[in-house]
Amino acid sequence: MRSKVVSAAEALALIRDGDTLVVGGSGGGVTEATGLIRALRERFLADGHPRDLTVVHTTGVGDREDTGLNLIALEGLVRREIGGHYGMAPEMTQMAIENRIEAYNFPQGVLAQLYREVAGGRPGVITQVGMGTYVDPRLDGGKINERTAEDLVEIVELVGRNWLLYRSFPMHACLLRGTTADEAGNITMEQEPAILDNLAIAEAVRNSGGTVIVQVKRVARNGTLDPRQVRIPGFLV
């Protein structure tokens, strides 16, 4: 079996212009793939690619200073951001405020469920969450600025009630973090502070035909990991 262990540069070369990139983790370095995010920045600064990414994140990613999404708050690299929390990356937030990128703010729980809907090939999350608030398409539809025009939320009628449908969309790549990987790509997370949405994100990206990229501390030989500790199975990676 060919090893799935590659360098960060080799892995990030698989991200293409215009891709939708899901970034895992939660503020302050919790299960954040800082090495991969930094390498993505370095690749863009070196050769101008990938460009025009849509960046998706459930929670805030970063430390409000020099990690997380602040690292990739670069014009040309990001075209659109869909996030559940913006407070950990003020430079990216400023890009949204200044109309330099398209930006949506959706409920964190909705985004967490949306990965599962994408993975299952379903049309999206149908919920009452957000009805009558800024994410309701009859108001702002979750759009943060004037540049953002496309409607990603719509009203649907089911069983005699109106619901919000947060539509599914393809997710082409993701940056996740684990602890140990074997050569087949099985990932454990024994030293991570939280599991978060890693499995659901990997499933959504894999079932979109995309690329699952995971940063790890160490590599183990095939057959040496306790299968009960595997959080992301290798066939997804």
Coordinates of all heavy atoms in Angstrom, one line a residue, residues 126-162:
I126 N -32.5 21.5 7.7 CA -33.8 22.1 7.8 C -34.1 22.3 9.3 O -34.1 21.4 10.1 CB -34.9 21.2 7.2 CG1 -34.6 21.1 5.7 CG2 -36.3 21.8 7.4 CD1 -35.5 20.0 5.0
T127 N -34.3 23.6 9.7 CA -34.4 23.9 11.1 C -35.2 25.2 11.3 O -35.4 26.0 10.4 CB -33.0 24.0 11.7 OG1 -33.1 24.3 13.1 CG2 -32.2 25.1 11.0
Q128 N -35.7 25.4 12.6 CA -36.3 26.6 13.0 C -35.2 27.6 13.5 O -35.5 28.8 13.7 CB -37.3 26.4 14.1 CG -38.6 25.6 13.6 CD -39.5 26.6 12.8 OE1 -39.8 27.7 13.3 NE2 -40.0 26.1 11.7
V129 N -34.0 27.1 13.7 CA -32.9 27.9 14.2 C -32.6 29.1 13.3 O -32.3 28.9 12.1 CB -31.6 27.1 14.5 CG1 -30.5 28.0 14.9 CG2 -31.9 26.1 15.6
G130 N -32.8 30.3 13.8 CA -32.5 31.5 13.0 C -33.7 32.1 12.4 O -33.6 33.2 11.8
M131 N -34.9 31.5 12.5 CA -36.1 32.0 12.0 C -36.4 33.4 12.6 O -36.4 33.5 13.8 CB -37.3 31.1 12.2 CG -38.6 31.5 11.5 SD -38.5 31.2 9.7 CE -38.7 29.4 9.6
G132 N -36.6 34.4 11.8 CA -36.9 35.7 12.3 C -35.7 36.5 12.8 O -35.9 37.6 13.3
T133 N -34.5 36.0 12.6 CA -33.3 36.7 12.9 C -32.5 37.1 11.7 O -33.0 36.9 10.6 CB -32.4 35.8 13.8 OG1 -31.7 34.8 13.0 CG2 -33.2 35.2 14.9
Y134 N -31.3 37.6 11.9 CA -30.5 38.1 10.7 C -30.2 37.0 9.7 O -29.8 37.3 8.6 CB -29.2 38.7 11.2 CG -28.2 37.7 11.7 CD1 -27.2 37.3 10.9 CD2 -28.3 37.2 13.0 CE1 -26.2 36.4 11.3 CE2 -27.3 36.3 13.4 CZ -26.3 35.9 12.6 OH -25.4 35.0 13.0
V135 N -30.3 35.7 10.1 CA -30.0 34.7 9.1 C -31.2 34.3 8.3 O -31.1 33.6 7.3 CB -29.4 33.4 9.7 CG1 -28.0 33.7 10.3 CG2 -30.3 32.9 10.8
D136 N -32.4 34.8 8.6 CA -33.6 34.6 7.9 C -33.4 35.3 6.5 O -33.1 36.5 6.5 CB -34.8 35.2 8.7 CG -36.1 34.8 8.1 OD1 -36.3 34.9 6.8 OD2 -37.0 34.4 8.9
P137 N -33.7 34.6 5.4 CA -33.5 35.3 4.1 C -34.4 36.5 3.8 O -34.2 37.3 3.0 CB -33.7 34.1 3.1 CG -34.6 33.2 3.8 CD -34.1 33.2 5.2
R138 N -35.5 36.6 4.6 CA -36.4 37.7 4.5 C -35.8 38.9 5.2 O -36.3 40.1 5.0 CB -37.7 37.4 5.1 CG -38.5 36.3 4.4 CD -39.7 35.7 5.2 NE -39.2 35.1 6.4 CZ -40.0 34.3 7.2 NH1 -41.3 34.2 6.8 NH2 -39.6 33.8 8.2
L139 N -34.7 38.7 5.9 CA -33.9 39.8 6.5 C -32.6 39.9 5.8 O -32.5 40.4 4.7 CB -33.8 39.6 8.0 CG -35.2 39.6 8.8 CD1 -35.0 39.2 10.2 CD2 -35.9 41.0 8.6
D140 N -31.5 39.4 6.4 CA -30.2 39.5 5.8 C -29.7 38.2 5.2 O -28.7 38.1 4.5 CB -29.2 40.0 6.8 CG -29.5 41.4 7.2 OD1 -30.0 42.2 6.4 OD2 -29.2 41.8 8.4
G141 N -30.3 37.0 5.6 CA -29.8 35.7 5.1 C -28.4 35.4 5.6 O -27.7 34.6 4.9
G142 N -28.0 36.0 6.7 CA -26.6 35.7 7.2 C -25.5 36.5 6.6 O -24.3 36.3 6.9
K143 N -25.8 37.3 5.6 CA -24.8 38.1 4.9 C -24.3 39.2 5.8 O -25.0 39.9 6.4 CB -25.4 38.7 3.6 CG -26.1 37.7 2.7 CD -26.6 38.4 1.5 CE -27.4 37.5 0.6 NZ -28.8 37.2 1.1
I144 N -23.0 39.3 5.8 CA -22.3 40.3 6.7 C -22.1 41.7 6.0 O -22.2 42.7 6.7 CB -20.9 39.8 7.1 CG1 -21.2 38.6 8.2 CG2 -20.1 40.9 7.8 CD1 -19.9 38.0 8.7
N145 N -22.0 41.7 4.7 CA -21.7 43.0 4.0 C -22.4 43.1 2.7 O -23.1 42.2 2.2 CB -20.1 43.1 3.8 CG -19.5 42.0 3.0 OD1 -20.2 41.4 2.2 ND2 -18.3 41.7 3.3
E146 N -22.2 44.3 2.1 CA -22.9 44.6 0.8 C -22.4 43.7 -0.4 O -23.1 43.5 -1.3 CB -22.8 46.0 0.5 CG -23.5 47.0 1.5 CD -23.3 48.4 1.2 OE1 -22.5 48.7 0.3 OE2 -23.8 49.3 2.0
R147 N -21.2 43.3 -0.3 CA -20.6 42.6 -1.4 C -21.2 41.2 -1.5 O -21.2 40.6 -2.6 CB -19.1 42.4 -1.1 CG -18.3 41.6 -2.1 CD -16.8 41.7 -1.9 NE -16.1 40.8 -2.8 CZ -14.8 40.9 -3.1 NH1 -14.1 41.8 -2.5 NH2 -14.2 40.0 -3.9
T148 N -21.7 40.7 -0.4 CA -22.2 39.3 -0.3 C -23.7 39.3 -0.9 O -24.6 39.9 -0.3 CB -22.2 38.8 1.1 OG1 -20.9 38.9 1.6 CG2 -22.6 37.3 1.2
A149 N -23.9 38.6 -2.0 CA -25.2 38.6 -2.7 C -25.9 37.3 -2.8 O -27.1 37.3 -2.7 CB -25.0 39.2 -4.1
E150 N -25.2 36.2 -2.9 CA -25.9 34.9 -3.1 C -26.6 34.5 -1.8 O -26.1 34.6 -0.7 CB -24.8 33.8 -3.4 CG -25.4 32.5 -3.8 CD -24.4 31.4 -4.2 OE1 -23.2 31.8 -4.2 OE2 -24.8 30.3 -4.4
D151 N -27.8 34.0 -2.0 CA -28.6 33.5 -0.9 C -28.3 32.0 -0.7 O -28.4 31.1 -1.5 CB -30.1 33.6 -1.3 CG -30.6 35.0 -1.3 OD1 -30.2 35.8 -0.5 OD2 -31.5 35.3 -2.2
L152 N -27.8 31.7 0.5 CA -27.4 30.4 0.9 C -28.5 29.7 1.9 O -28.4 28.6 2.2 CB -26.1 30.3 1.6 CG -24.9 30.8 0.8 CD1 -23.6 30.6 1.6 CD2 -24.8 30.1 -0.6
V153 N -29.5 30.6 2.3 CA -30.5 30.1 3.1 C -31.9 30.4 2.4 O -32.0 31.5 1.8 CB -30.5 30.8 4.5 CG1 -31.5 30.2 5.5 CG2 -29.1 30.8 5.1
E154 N -32.8 29.5 2.5 CA -34.1 29.8 1.9 C -35.2 29.3 2.8 O -35.0 28.5 3.7 CB -34.3 29.1 0.6 CG -34.1 27.6 0.5 CD -34.2 27.1 -0.9 OE1 -33.1 27.0 -1.5 OE2 -35.3 26.7 -1.3
I155 N -36.4 29.8 2.6 CA -37.6 29.3 3.3 C -38.3 28.2 2.6 O -38.4 28.2 1.4 CB -38.7 30.5 3.4 CG1 -38.1 31.7 4.2 CG2 -39.9 30.0 4.1 CD1 -37.9 31.5 5.7
V156 N -38.5 27.1 3.3 CA -39.3 25.9 2.7 C -40.5 25.6 3.6 O -40.5 25.9 4.8 CB -38.4 24.7 2.6 CG1 -37.2 25.0 1.6 CG2 -37.8 24.3 3.9
E157 N -41.5 25.1 3.0 CA -42.7 24.7 3.8 C -42.8 23.2 3.9 O -42.7 22.5 2.9 CB -44.0 25.3 3.1 CG -45.2 25.0 3.9 CD -46.5 25.6 3.3 OE1 -46.3 26.4 2.4 OE2 -47.6 25.1 3.7
L158 N -42.9 22.7 5.1 CA -43.0 21.3 5.4 C -44.0 21.1 6.5 O -44.0 21.9 7.5 CB -41.7 20.7 5.8 CG -40.6 20.6 4.7 CD1 -39.3 20.1 5.4 CD2 -41.0 19.6 3.6
V159 N -44.9 20.1 6.4 CA -45.9 19.7 7.4 C -46.6 21.0 7.9 O -46.8 21.1 9.1 CB -45.3 18.9 8.5 CG1 -44.9 17.5 8.0 CG2 -44.1 19.6 9.2
G160 N -46.9 21.9 7.0 CA -47.7 23.0 7.4 C -47.0 24.1 8.1 O -47.6 25.1 8.6
R161 N -45.6 24.1 8.1 CA -44.9 25.1 8.8 C -43.7 25.6 7.8 O -43.3 24.9 7.0 CB -44.2 24.6 10.0 CG -45.2 24.2 11.1 CD -44.4 23.7 12.4 NE -43.6 24.8 13.0 CZ -42.7 24.5 14.0 NH1 -42.5 23.3 14.4 NH2 -42.0 25.5 14.5
N162 N -43.3 26.8 8.0 CA -42.1 27.4 7.4 C -40.9 27.0 8.1 O -40.9 27.0 9.4 CB -42.2 28.9 7.2 CG -43.2 29.3 6.1 OD1 -43.5 28.5 5.2 ND2 -43.7 30.5 6.2

